[in-house]
Amino acid sequence: QVQLVESGGGLVQPGGSLRLSCTLSGSGFAILTMGWYRQAPGKQREPVAIITSSGTTNYAHSVKGRFTISRDNTENTLYLQMNSLKPEDTAVYYCNFNVWRQLTYDFWGQGTQVTVSS
């Protein structure tokens, strides 16, 4: 019933910008939190940015001041604006929606590749 579709990844030079988006489809649930995670080859998946239902945000130290997480008016689309990109930002980025429907559930997007290279 629930599906997340990501877009916006690509190749960018150091110092450049990208904007990722993630759209959720489905019904019968309430969104609790939304977030972005990333995983580089050979490394564990790590959180990048989280936004709560009240709009409170939390960022990994490595991206603070460079990335901005936001959501649209209907709260079914999640964005990650990435500025001043660095080679160490290269990873597959995944969106995550934590929702409530009798119990809590986590739904993940398919992932989108971000490559930062000269």
Side-chain angles (χ1 to χ4, degrees), residues 26-105:
S27 61
F29 55 81
I31 299 173
L32 301 177
T33 62
M34 297 177 280
W36 291 96
Y37 297 72
R38 67 186 182 188
Q39 186 169 20
K43 296 185 177 180
Q44 297 296 115
R45 185 176 300 184
E46 63 178 1
V48 176
I50 304 293
I51 186 168
T52 70
S53 59
S54 65
T56 302
T57 58
N58 195 9
Y59 296 91
H61 183 267
S62 61
V63 307
K64 190 172 298 184
R66 300 187 297 119
F67 291 10
T68 302
I69 187 171
S70 62
R71 60 191 181 188
D72 72 0
N73 293 331
T74 62
E75 299 186 350
N76 66 348
T77 300
L78 182 68
Y79 302 97
L80 184 67
Q81 179 66 48
M82 303 184 293
N83 298 326
S84 302
L85 282 162
K86 305 175 180 179
E88 52 262 44
D89 295 318
T90 296
V92 177
Y93 285 70
Y94 299 90
C95 61
N96 168 264
F97 280 38
N98 182 249
V99 308
W100 171 262
R101 185 171 62 189
Q102 302 296 319
L103 298 171
T104 58
Y105 300 87

